[in-house]
Amino acid sequence: MAINSGCASVTPLDVAGELRTELERHGITADVHDGYGLALVSVWVGLVVWCDGERYWWRTGWDDRRQRFTYAWHPAVDPVRAARRIAFRYAALRAGSSRSVLADPVAAAGDGAH
């Protein structure tokens, strides 16, 4: 799906690419993937940003009462501010993680012992 903003056609992939460029200004390297009318910006373990061409959205936490994830979103016309918000989430996730556990799939999954 492409969005016609009057001058040019903007695809989800274009929008995701703009976000990746803005994240790089924050020192964050991300990968962009495209398919099925969406683009994904893979930022960090547990931080994937979905783009549909009109908005970005990403998980921000877990709602225990409703038993589901919570999300934040930002308009795609403002990738600079979206990248700033995502950079804050990235910093919070990195501060709360252990790189050694993330790098070891057995440790991340648990050894099955209780």
Side-chain angles (χ1 to χ4, degrees):
M1 164 174 55
I3 297 167
N4 188 345
S5 62
C7 297
S9 179
V10 180
T11 67
L13 185 60
D14 295 331
V15 169
E18 291 174 5
L19 179 63
R20 178 178 55 191
T21 298
E22 293 304 324
L23 287 169
E24 287 173 354
R25 294 175 202 253
H26 291 275
I28 301 170
T29 302
D31 297 321
V32 173
H33 308 277
D34 182 36
Y36 302 103
L38 292 173
L40 304 176
V41 182
S42 179
V43 181
W44 182 253
V45 174
L47 183 54
V48 174
V49 180
W50 291 269
C51 308
D52 64 1
E54 294 182 18
R55 68 182 49 90
Y56 305 108
W57 67 97
W58 60 96
R59 289 181 183 166
T60 57
W62 178 257
D63 184 334
D64 280 331
R65 188 175 58 81
R66 293 184 174 172
Q67 294 295 297
R68 64 180 174 187
F69 289 104
T70 56
Y71 293 85
W73 70 274
H74 198 87
V77 296
D78 187 7
V80 173
R81 191 158 175 228
R84 184 170 182 250
R85 293 179 66 197
I86 293 162
F88 284 125
R89 179 71 180 142
Y90 171 81
L93 288 171
R94 289 213 45 181
S97 72
S98 167
R99 293 196 84 161
S100 62
V101 170
L102 293 174
D104 182 355
V106 174
D111 64 1
H114 292 39

